[in-house]
Amino acid sequence: MKTGARLLVDGLQREGVETIFGYPGGAVLPVYDELYDAPLRHVLVRHEQAAAHAADGYARASGKTGVCLATSGPGACNLVTGIATAYMDSVPLVAVTGQVPTTMLGNDAFQESDITGITFPITKHNYLVKDAAEIGQVVRDAFYIAGTGRQGPVLIDLPKDVMTAQVDPVPEVQEARLRGYQPTYEGHPRQVERAVALIQEAERPLLYIGGGVVASGAAAEVLALAELTAIPVASTLMGLGAVPCDHPLSLGMIGMHGTEAANFAVTECDLLIAVGVRFDDRVTGRVEAFAPQAAVVHIDIDPAEIGKNKPVDVPIVGDARLVLAAITAKLARQERGNGWLSRVRRWQEENAPAPAAGLDPAGVIRQMNALLDDEAIIVSEVGQNQMWAAQHYCFRRPRTWLTSGGLGTMGYGFPASIGAQFACPDRTVALVAGDGSFQMNIQELGTVVEYKVPVKVVILNNLYLGMVRQWQELFYDRRYSYTELSPVDFVGIARAYGVEGRRVEDPDEVGPGLEECFGTEGAFVLDVRIEREANVFPMVPAGAAINEMIGRRG
């Protein structure tokens, strides 16, 4: 005989879960009582939103499914932003929430919220379990759904009386087989043949890769195809690291703050091979002007993405790794003797970044890059800090860059970096933050101290909500409406929690500051006072064509 709460813990262990990020409350206490003796590591965060982001960071860094736990009502609702963040970026996550007893559902009971209804549009699937005997199978199915096909979050809502109910006998858990859910992994052979023919005929082909390449483990297959056929590669924000940034065929990031070479290449290519991407508006700009001369091959495991934003000539539904391997196996080595690669390289050379005066945020990122090895995991908040890190850090391996791409969640980075450090305790995890975004989950300094998490925090501090201010400067005649922030003593706050820190206000102090930050054994907060009105360039204004960049470097 076992309780529902015990069956949940058994199910988590059966799925190989080692770490849970959570915050207790009355409705979920039966689970916490079981966790007291369970061989699972529970990390007590300081806010439920941080639990979801930490589980997300754990998943992105490790490739495993992350798990978070919260109580009913406000606890469950505080998970919503983290669940939505994971949903937008296709991160495997299982969120478990406590709920009021089944007899009180729908009665506006204390701390009741309809969390399955609330999360319906932002989860891949969710469950309200009313029979404790079903818990084991629900856990098995939830992990299967979260981690297969296009990955994403699944929520399990457990009423308190279901957690305490006694189950005897305990049903045997079966393999997950869900009617109507059968992800397609192999690409259709006829479409693969069509893609091969287009690659052989193309004069100006371009690979456009995204987070789906990282999720499927297809980095080696992308590089093999690119090198075999001499095709340059442009990456979305989410795809950075899949191809080494300093590879001769890498054009870096594409899109609103992408490189000139990537944006010009997509405008002039005659074949676009899109892999694990969703033609996001921050990438395409005005979609009619995105790859206007190109035939489009789109490879994605989610059929709903194909043709959603951009018409496609060759749709291939399947796992990126398997499809790319099938395409590459049918191709012979090709050379590009028509000047396409020379032209792309000329764009790169003509638009190489120039050094900036003062305390330049790009220079801070480049110095970080020089100090850290290829195994380091870089996490960002959202805004200018995110774009500077994406533009100027050289990512060479998948799963070394964690950021909120789809939802753009300020406050994501710090808890996600904690999750990444739990997933990869032997690697350096560094957070690039803005002063605004770091304050959104600054309370997690308490978690860092309690669990001795050696996360390194580098704040690019301009006393502004920087990206919003940049838009106000460029498009609202410098009317900085409510984007200026008061100075904060981040070093003092860090020390109050028990974390070491240092403030840098002079360009000559950046190097020593970073060396102290990364040389310190435990966590460290480095507050770098950058140029207040530094901007992220180049930039494609909203609604413009992708090659209509302003503030181009030169």
Side-chain angles (χ1 to χ4, degrees):
M1 182 178 294
K2 292 186 177 181
T3 65
R6 181 65 212 178
L7 291 176
L8 172 72
V9 172
D10 286 349
L12 295 175
Q13 288 185 251
R14 195 163 41 241
E15 298 303 322
V17 175
E18 298 174 342
T19 305
I20 302 170
F21 302 90
Y23 201 99
V28 79
L29 279 180
V31 173
Y32 272 86
D33 193 56
E34 289 292 343
L35 287 174
Y36 190 78
D37 299 315
L40 290 171
R41 176 171 53 189
H42 176 277
V43 178
L44 176 64
V45 295
R46 299 304 187 260
H47 190 293
E48 291 92 347
Q49 181 184 348
H53 292 324
D56 175 309
Y58 182 95
R60 297 194 204 212
S62 67
K64 302 175 183 175
T65 297
V67 180
C68 56
L69 174 63
T71 192
S72 64
C77 289
N78 283 339
L79 293 179
V80 168
T81 301
I83 293 171
T85 301
Y87 183 76
M88 289 290 280
D89 289 343
S90 305
V91 177
L93 185 77
V94 170
V96 180
T97 50
Q99 183 55 277
V100 300
T102 52
T103 53
M104 302 177 73
L105 285 170
N107 290 346
D108 292 334
F110 177 68
Q111 291 196 331
E112 180 189 7
S113 65
D114 176 13
I115 195 62
T116 53
I118 291 169
T119 60
F120 178 77
I122 55 167
T123 51
K124 198 171 170 187
H125 194 64
N126 62 27
Y127 297 90
L128 171 59
V129 184
K130 295 183 177 179
D131 183 348
E134 296 176 355
I135 289 177
Q137 191 63 47
V138 165
V139 172
R140 167 61 53 84
D141 294 348
F143 275 80
Y144 177 69
I145 294 170
T148 55
R150 179 175 179 171
Q151 299 174 338
V154 178
L155 182 134
I156 303 172
D157 196 27
L158 294 175
K160 193 169 185 178
D161 57 328
V162 174
M163 296 180 216
T164 55
Q166 300 285 337
V167 178
D168 187 28
V170 176
E172 186 176 342
V173 175
Q174 307 294 320
E175 287 303 308
R177 290 180 183 171
L178 305 171
R179 183 186 297 175
Y181 179 71
Q182 295 178 326
T184 299
Y185 293 98
E186 304 279 353
H188 193 287
R190 192 174 304 163
Q191 302 294 54
V192 169
E193 291 287 354
R194 291 181 64 197
V196 168
L198 286 174
I199 292 171
Q200 290 171 327
E201 296 166 4
E203 295 184 351
R204 303 184 306 281
L206 178 68
L207 270 159
Y208 156 43
I209 65 170
V213 169
V214 176
S216 71
E221 285 71 17
V222 166
L223 203 53
L225 175 60
E227 290 178 340
L228 184 70
T229 54
I231 301 179
V233 184
S235 171
T236 69
L237 177 71
M238 300 301 298
L240 292 175
V243 169
C245 74
D246 48 2
H247 189 282
L249 291 169
S250 173
L251 305 185
M253 188 168 68
I254 191 171
M256 177 174 278
H257 293 293
T259 68
E260 291 86 349
N263 288 357
F264 287 149
V266 77
T267 303
E268 300 202 12
C269 70
D270 65 354
L271 173 64
L272 186 68
I273 309 160
V275 188
V277 299
R278 55 189 179 87
F279 291 87
D280 176 76
D281 60 285
R282 287 294 171 106
V283 167
T284 64
R286 182 155 48 84
V287 71
E288 299 82 10
F290 186 76
Q293 309 168 37
V296 178
V297 176
H298 191 179
I299 302 165
D300 203 287
I301 199 160
D302 184 355
E305 287 297 337
I306 294 181
K308 185 177 79 176
N309 295 329
K310 174 79 177 173
V312 172
D313 298 281
V314 181
I316 306 181
V317 177
D319 176 75
R321 186 173 61 83
L322 298 176
V323 174
L324 289 172
I327 290 174
T328 304
K330 294 179 179 295
L331 287 165
R333 182 166 295 281
Q334 283 181 265
E335 303 295 336
R336 300 283 164 200
N338 58 2
W340 174 234
L341 288 182
S342 312
R343 200 163 160 196
V344 167
R345 289 191 182 113
R346 190 165 61 249
W347 286 327
Q348 289 178 300
E349 293 166 1
E350 289 174 349
N351 296 286
L359 222 165
D360 171 32
V364 176
I365 300 296
R366 291 195 203 106
Q367 290 190 63
M368 280 181 61
N369 183 63
L371 285 172
L372 298 174
D373 62 30
D374 291 351
E375 294 289 331
I377 296 171
I378 307 301
V379 189
S380 85
E381 294 289 354
V382 165
Q384 286 184 314
N385 64 85
Q386 178 186 34
M387 292 300 125
W388 282 317
Q391 289 180 333
H392 299 286
Y393 197 90
C394 185
F395 299 99
R396 296 186 177 88
R397 295 171 188 258
R399 300 194 184 280
T400 57
W401 167 236
L402 315 184
T403 193
S404 172
L407 199 64
T409 306
M410 288 178 67
Y412 164 82
F414 189 32
S417 64
I418 294 171
Q421 191 76 79
F422 273 101
C424 306
D426 298 328
R427 293 163 65 181
T428 299
V429 177
L431 169 69
V432 177
D435 48 317
S437 51
F438 185 56
Q439 291 184 73
M440 283 200 167
N441 268 314
I442 196 170
Q443 77 285 342
E444 297 309 318
L445 284 166
T447 307
V448 162
V449 171
E450 180 173 347
Y451 295 95
K452 297 181 172 56
V453 185
V455 168
K456 314 301 182 186
V457 179
V458 178
I459 304 172
L460 301 178
N461 187 348
N462 55 11
L463 304 179
Y464 277 119
L465 299 174
M467 187 61 86
V468 188
R469 184 211 58 77
Q470 178 171 332
W471 281 56
Q472 290 173 333
E473 175 188 333
L474 298 175
F475 309 119
Y476 292 87
D477 197 24
R478 290 181 178 265
R479 289 161 55 84
Y480 296 160
S481 179
Y482 301 102
T483 46
E484 185 168 12
L485 300 174
S486 302
V488 173
D489 181 5
F490 287 113
V491 174
I493 291 174
R495 287 178 178 159
Y497 273 99
V499 174
E500 287 301 310
R502 174 173 173 171
R503 181 184 300 166
V504 168
E505 298 180 288
D506 184 276
D508 293 336
E509 297 173 1
V510 173
L514 288 170
E515 288 175 3
E516 183 180 358
C517 176
F518 296 120
T520 298
E521 188 173 343
F524 198 94
V525 172
L526 187 67
D527 179 13
V528 184
R529 295 293 177 92
I530 62 171
E531 292 297 312
R532 291 206 68 198
E533 298 192 37
N535 285 332
V536 181
F537 287 130
M539 178 180 185
V540 178
I546 194 169
N547 61 340
E548 295 173 352
M549 289 166 276
I550 60 174
R552 288 177 55 197
R553 298 173 295 225

